[in-house]
């Protein structure tokens, strides 16, 4: 008998190991995958054990486990057990004088982060940030972005993605269709972008057109008034259908940004339905709160055929990485970064 498709949800957990309650919940809810946060990452042996236990709880050895490991201030894996990586702006700064050196640094950075994740069994990194910041925008993006040149962001993000793929890890381009103009932090409130379609197409959308063939993308909780004045992109069939799938031709699996962010309205069940109805393939819930996860599980549905096909296509891009010398690559990246202003 063919097993039914998993629920179109990603869940986190509360600590360094699964509780009995979490293990039973995941078995019954059968989510598409899992996400790790700082609270879940103690040391390499513990993370590997947690990743294995997450997969065992749903009896799927290939269930995706993801993490936000961008470098800079967004890094769930931190010293002393894992090396620090620079914010992407450090790489973008190199591009001002030497685009080729910046491209090499972007690939090495992706390759090294991917190597670290692959050793832990983590298969998806919610990186790189592909947004184009504008003057005066909220610092929620800030130095997480490469630079404010749309073409350069696209070029460096693409090379970064190739580094992840070469490491056997799937990148997630974010935040579709562009978070760089947001003057608010979507973790705390709903950002509203009032730029017209021409301006959005000239700037914000450019990197994502370059990355339209990437395996996975993440949709922002941001209102774009020129496209849909009422709803954030993640719950807007218009933004997802006409812009992300249409104008930008993005064909990969679409994840929502964290659905527990305050930018979204309604309870968790309502948010779950809204995200999936709008066209997100998977609703992502990150904080590990059991009551909220149960509400999501009660509203979520199995992944549909189109979303599952997109996941299969993404999964097929996972490869066994070639051996590398991490120390040599890190030394080369440090050499390249030496040309950027700290």
């Amino acid at each position: 008998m063919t097993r039914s498709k998993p629920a179109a949800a990603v869940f986190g957990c509360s600590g360094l190991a699964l509780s009995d309650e979490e293990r039973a919940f995941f078995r019954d809810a059968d989510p598409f995958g899992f996400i790790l946060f700082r609270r879940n990452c103690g040391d390499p042996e513990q993370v590997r054990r947690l990743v294995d236990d997450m997969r065992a709880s749903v009896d799927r050895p290939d269930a995706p486990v993801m993490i936000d490991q961008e470098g800079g201030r967004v890094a769930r894996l931190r010293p002393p057990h894992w090396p620090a990586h620079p914010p992407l702006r450090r790489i973008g700064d190199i591009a001002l004088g030497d685009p080729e050196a910046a491209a090499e640094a972007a690939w090495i950075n992706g390759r090294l982060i991917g190597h670290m994740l692959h050793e832990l069994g983590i298969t998806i990194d919610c990186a790189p940030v592909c947004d184009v910041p504008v003057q005066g925008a909220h610092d929620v993006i800030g130095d997480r972005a490469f630079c404010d040149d749309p073409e350069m962001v696209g070029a460096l993000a693409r090379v970064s993605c190739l580094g992840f793929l070469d490491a056997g890890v799937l990148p997630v381009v974010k935040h579709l269709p562009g978070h760089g103009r947001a003057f608010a932090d979507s973790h705390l409130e709903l950002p509203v972008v009032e730029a017209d379609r021409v301006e959005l197409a000239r700037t914000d959308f450019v990197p994502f057109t370059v990355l339209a063939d990437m395996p996975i993308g993440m949709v922002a909780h941001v209102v774009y008034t020129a496209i849909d004045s009422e709803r954030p992109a993640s719950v807007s069939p218009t933004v997802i259908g006409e812009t992300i799938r249409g104008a930008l031709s993005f064909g990969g699996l679409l994840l929502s940004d964290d659905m527990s962010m305050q930018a979204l309205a309604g309870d968790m069940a309502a948010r779950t339905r809204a995200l999936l109805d709008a066209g997100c393939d998977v609703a992502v819930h990150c904080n590990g709160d059991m009551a909220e996860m149960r509400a999501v599980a009660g509203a979520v549905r199995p992944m549909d055929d189109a979303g599952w096909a997109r996941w299969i296509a993404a999964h097929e891009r996972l490869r066994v990485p070639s051996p590398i010398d991490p120390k040599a690559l890190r030394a080369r990246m440090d050499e390249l970064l030496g040309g950027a202003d700290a």
Side-chain angles (χ1 to χ4, degrees):
M1 185 174 71
T2 302
R3 179 170 178 163
S4 60
K5 297 180 184 69
V10 161
F11 290 129
C13 68
S14 61
L16 298 174
L18 294 186
S19 67
D20 290 342
E21 183 183 21
E22 287 169 334
R23 201 182 307 274
F25 169 72
F26 293 146
R27 180 194 64 223
D28 295 339
D30 192 25
F32 165 71
F34 303 92
I35 188 164
L36 300 178
F37 273 73
R38 185 75 191 98
R39 65 182 182 272
N40 309 125
C41 301
D43 60 65
E45 182 179 350
Q46 170 268 321
V47 172
R48 281 191 289 267
R49 185 166 56 248
L50 177 57
V51 167
D52 289 344
D53 286 350
M54 285 174 156
R55 292 190 170 116
S57 73
V58 293
D59 193 26
R60 279 186 284 120
D62 60 351
V65 177
M66 60 186 70
I67 197 168
D68 292 274
Q69 192 73 16
E70 299 173 7
R73 56 193 157 108
V74 179
R76 314 310 184 197
L77 304 170
R78 293 176 176 266
H81 295 293
W82 296 278
H85 286 258
L88 295 185
R89 175 68 70 167
R90 286 287 306 280
I91 296 172
D93 287 345
I94 301 173
L96 297 174
D98 192 340
E100 290 187 4
E104 183 182 356
W107 180 86
I108 292 174
N109 193 53
R111 184 67 179 83
L112 285 174
I113 293 175
H115 173 76
M116 179 170 64
L117 302 186
H118 186 267
E119 287 195 323
L120 298 172
I122 299 168
T123 45
I124 298 176
D125 192 6
C126 298
V129 170
C130 308
D131 304 311
V132 183
V134 299
Q135 188 69 29
H138 194 284
D139 192 47
V140 66
I141 298 300
D143 67 358
R144 297 167 63 194
F146 285 106
C147 62
D148 58 6
D149 180 309
E151 287 78 15
M152 185 57 68
V153 171
L156 293 176
R158 184 167 189 84
V159 176
S160 178
C161 287
L162 295 178
F164 284 117
L165 289 167
D166 287 343
V169 170
L170 298 175
V172 178
V173 300
K174 63 185 189 184
H175 306 80
L176 286 151
H179 206 305
R181 288 181 184 277
F183 284 79
D185 181 351
S186 54
H187 294 84
L188 306 175
E189 57 184 310
L190 177 61
V192 177
V193 169
E194 297 182 344
D196 62 33
R197 288 175 184 255
V198 172
E199 182 65 10
L200 291 170
R202 188 183 70 81
T203 54
D204 304 60
F205 295 172
V206 169
F208 297 106
T209 62
V210 175
L211 299 160
D213 63 333
M214 286 297 128
I216 309 176
M218 179 177 287
V219 187
H221 302 320
V222 176
V223 170
Y224 305 87
T225 58
I227 307 170
D228 185 335
S229 62
E230 301 295 326
R231 295 169 292 193
S234 55
V235 295
S236 169
T238 305
V239 176
I240 292 178
E242 295 183 8
T243 299
I244 295 174
R245 295 297 191 197
L248 304 185
S249 300
F250 188 80
L253 185 80
L254 280 182
L255 308 175
S256 75
D257 207 342
D258 180 8
M259 62 187 294
S260 59
M261 290 181 180
Q262 298 307 305
L264 294 183
D267 61 23
M268 288 300 154
R271 295 181 188 193
T272 302
R273 289 188 289 265
L275 290 165
L276 299 179
D277 288 347
C280 290
D281 295 312
V282 178
V284 178
H285 184 276
C286 297
N287 67 23
D289 181 278
M290 182 56 72
E292 291 188 3
M293 292 194 297
R294 289 192 186 282
V296 172
V300 76
R301 53 184 180 253
M303 292 185 70
D304 61 24
D305 290 343
W308 188 247
R310 285 188 277 266
W311 167 241
I312 294 300
H315 189 264
E316 287 176 349
R317 296 181 70 170
L318 284 174
R319 66 188 68 164
V320 176
S322 300
I324 61 167
D325 182 340
K327 290 184 179 180
L329 279 181
R330 183 65 192 232
R332 176 57 179 159
M333 187 171 73
D334 289 345
E335 179 184 358
L336 293 165
L337 290 175
D341 292 331

